[in-house]
Amino acid sequence: MSADSARRTVRILTWIGLATGVIGGLLVAFPKVLPVGGPWVQLTLGVATLVLAFRARKTGIAEVEGFDGRLSLFAALLGFLVVFFAGQVAFGILVAVANP
């Protein structure tokens, strides 16, 4: 992969990762928007954010000279926060279903 292609790939992955993280964060902040299946959508968005952010970091570190990964690192941290808070709600739902 050429350097320009790698830069473009890193940029696309990072921005899509940030977008999914922001959407997941908004759904965590406003859980009533998706009353049914909300935590599962939030978890999916959080995991997608993590995958995209770490894929961007991997590509950037390996193929881009002078890679500055602060934005992809921010996306990864955002993904961890979304997974953490959505996971708490999802776990609570699973416990409530298991103990009638």
Side-chain angles (χ1 to χ4, degrees):
M1 185 181 302
S2 71
D4 291 335
S5 173
R7 278 190 180 87
R8 185 177 64 244
T9 301
V10 168
R11 194 174 306 123
I12 290 170
L13 289 172
T14 301
W15 285 109
I16 293 173
L18 279 171
T20 58
V22 167
I23 293 168
L26 286 173
L27 289 175
V28 167
F30 304 106
K32 302 293 184 197
V33 175
L34 290 176
V36 178
W40 312 113
V41 173
Q42 294 166 2
L43 278 172
T44 303
L45 287 169
V47 169
T49 302
L50 288 172
V51 168
L52 291 167
F54 283 116
R55 182 69 182 170
R57 290 187 64 73
K58 178 185 173 205
T59 304
I61 290 169
E63 299 182 22
V64 176
E65 184 70 29
F67 173 67
D68 180 18
R70 290 181 284 184
L71 199 55
S72 60
L73 180 62
F74 177 71
L77 292 173
L78 187 59
F80 279 123
L81 286 173
V82 171
V83 168
F84 177 76
F85 288 113
Q88 286 181 333
V89 175
F91 183 74
I93 291 172
L94 291 175
V95 168
V97 168
N99 298 321

